[in-house]
Amino acid sequence: MSYRTGSEFAREMDASDPLAEWRGQFYIPKTKEGRDCIYLCGNSLGLQPKSVEAAVRQELEDWKNLGVEGHFHAQHPWMPYHEFLTKPLANLVGAKPVEVVAMNSLTVNLHLLMVSFYRPTKARHKIVIEASAFPSDHYAAASQIRYHGFDPKDSLIELAPRKGEATLRSEDIEQLIAREGDGIALIMIGGVNYYTGQLFEMERIAKAGHAKGCIVGFDLAHAAGNAVLKLHDWGVDFACWCSYKYLNSGPGSVAGCFVHERHAKTELPRFAGWWGHDKNTRFKMGPDFRPMQGAEGWQLSNPPILSLAAVRASLAIFDTVGMEKLREKSVKLTGYMEFLLDGLHSDAFAILTPRDKDQRGCQLSIAVKHDGRALFDALTVAGVVCDWREPDCIRVAPVPLYNSFADVHRFVEIFAGHVK
Ligand SMILES: *Cc1c(COP(=O)(O)O)cnc(C)c1O
């Protein structure tokens, strides 16, 4: 792709962008002056699709008019409601329908899946995570280790970049697994690191882990709806993700999880609840738990329908557009931002995110040398919505569904006006 600097190039790109019309399907927050914000924060909270309101209102209406009968007679009956999400979720992450379910929230799912997939023994008790893992993942892994009577000091391996580098090298991850694999019970890293935006080579990591007999799971909070995923083919054991970042399903909305088909029929130990029980006999209300096969067998409770309605409406968009098309635009959009930032020839900041498009999603993480916080505040005042991560990082995520090339151009113009 060859880019040009002038704003005319952004206009041309937007005019020929086959996905440009999707922006109109989202509510774009406004500045105080009533202009569209330059919203580059879909990695933190995705924007609201216009279709969500009607989907949620439908459930409120059905509840109002039908009461308990809504479980069977709502337009989208509540009893099997999560099943309406199965196909789009499976398409989204490259899974078979039996491998996915929407349930709970992300950290809850991480714990539930670790209950089944982290089974430490004296000889094999370690968990591998990124040194810069999202804190919740770090807490979850460390607390699981302690729960089993081990000490994170001995059992938690944190993958750190080489000195002077910002991101991890796949070969270093492979070497660590080859070296220490016999003691590793679980490799559980982010599909895309939230801080650096690095997209990991999940297939390679899964292969290296399995060669050493380790379980391999991924937290896809920053990967779902951002990268093309093929969880089934990659042979990943389990994965989970939230739905409110790139998946635009609303704050705290219901999360997703993946369990590979090869575990579907095994009697993995788990924390059980009635919604995971064989649905044909669930209402016999018997005392013995018989899990449904596949990911659905990890459900605990009947799900929050109002929230699932938002997920359903939002996933319908992904299912219509398709991840391949989104990714195609995403690579161009983020490449354009990188090109414009590089064109500033400034040593006041550096991009931490890998330069290789295959090793990143849409986000760029910009480390600012001096007083990054002031720069971030100036961007905010100018109508840019992005985020700030201590100690020096501004994260910007141009999202292919609703961001335009003009957004990216304007952002870099504003950035250039304030960076020192
Ligand atoms: C956003 C994010 C979370 C948030 O967890 P919740 O349980 O949804 O609050 C956890 N882990 C990662 C890697 C994230 O990016």
Side-chain angles (χ1 to χ4, degrees), residues 264-286:
K265 290 182 193 159
T266 55
E267 293 295 311
L268 280 168
R270 71 190 74 189
F271 287 172
W274 74 318
W275 226 251
H277 187 90
D278 176 13
K279 66 180 175 185
N280 298 311
T281 57
R282 184 187 297 143
F283 285 89
K284 294 218 163 73
M285 305 299 218

Side-chain angles (χ1 to χ4, degrees), residues 126-130 156-157 159 176 184 186-189:
K126 295 182 180 171
I127 299 181
V128 176
I129 62 170
E130 310 125 275
L156 195 62
I157 304 180
L159 289 165
L176 176 117
I184 297 170
L186 172 65
I187 298 161
M188 204 278 295
I189 63 178

Side-chain angles (χ1 to χ4, degrees), residues 206-398:
K207 209 179 217 165
H210 290 154
K212 281 297 200 171
C214 317
I215 292 279
V216 181
F218 290 103
D219 182 330
L220 301 176
H222 282 260
N226 182 20
V228 175
L229 303 168
K230 301 203 181 309
L231 298 182
H232 176 84
D233 292 348
W234 296 342
V236 171
D237 292 289
F238 71 88
C240 47
W241 56 91
C242 55
S243 64
Y244 48 81
K245 291 172 181 166
Y246 295 105
L247 295 181
N248 309 321
S249 301
S253 203
V254 177
C257 96
F258 165 92
V259 176
H260 197 278
E261 190 182 33
R262 67 174 168 276
H263 301 299
K265 290 182 193 159
T266 55
E267 293 295 311
L268 280 168
R270 71 190 74 189
F271 287 172
W274 74 318
W275 226 251
H277 187 90
D278 176 13
K279 66 180 175 185
N280 298 311
T281 57
R282 184 187 297 143
F283 285 89
K284 294 218 163 73
M285 305 299 218
D288 294 323
F289 177 69
R290 283 228 318 271
M292 269 190 282
Q293 288 195 357
E296 289 185 330
W298 270 265
Q299 295 172 102
L300 297 182
S301 302
N302 78 103
I305 299 298
L306 297 181
S307 172
L308 276 188
V311 182
R312 186 174 65 77
S314 183
L315 286 182
I317 296 174
F318 283 86
D319 219 35
T320 305
V321 183
M323 264 325 295
E324 310 273 349
K325 288 236 175 64
L326 282 172
R327 175 67 182 165
E328 199 181 310
K329 174 173 172 185
S330 176
V331 166
K332 288 181 193 162
L333 201 57
T334 295
Y336 179 50
M337 183 182 275
E338 179 184 43
F339 166 81
L340 292 177
L341 287 170
D342 285 346
L344 301 180
H345 302 292
S346 165
D347 55 12
F349 67 90
I351 296 173
L352 297 177
T353 311
R355 295 286 174 165
D356 173 4
K357 68 174 170 46
D358 293 330
Q359 294 200 49
R360 67 185 184 204
C362 71
Q363 170 185 325
L364 293 182
S365 304
I366 304 170
V368 184
K369 292 240 170 70
H370 304 293
D371 215 357
R373 180 73 215 196
L375 172 58
F376 171 75
D377 291 340
L379 292 171
T380 306
V381 169
V384 175
V385 184
C386 53
D387 78 8
W388 169 252
R389 285 287 174 269
E390 294 293 344
D392 62 358
C393 182
I394 293 175
R395 301 187 308 168
V396 280

Side-chain angles (χ1 to χ4, degrees), residues 105-108 134 136-137 194 219 221-222 242 244-245:
S105 50
L106 171 54
T107 307
V108 172
F134 195 87
S136 200
D137 300 41
Y194 84 101
D219 182 330
H222 282 260
C242 55
Y244 48 81
K245 291 172 181 166

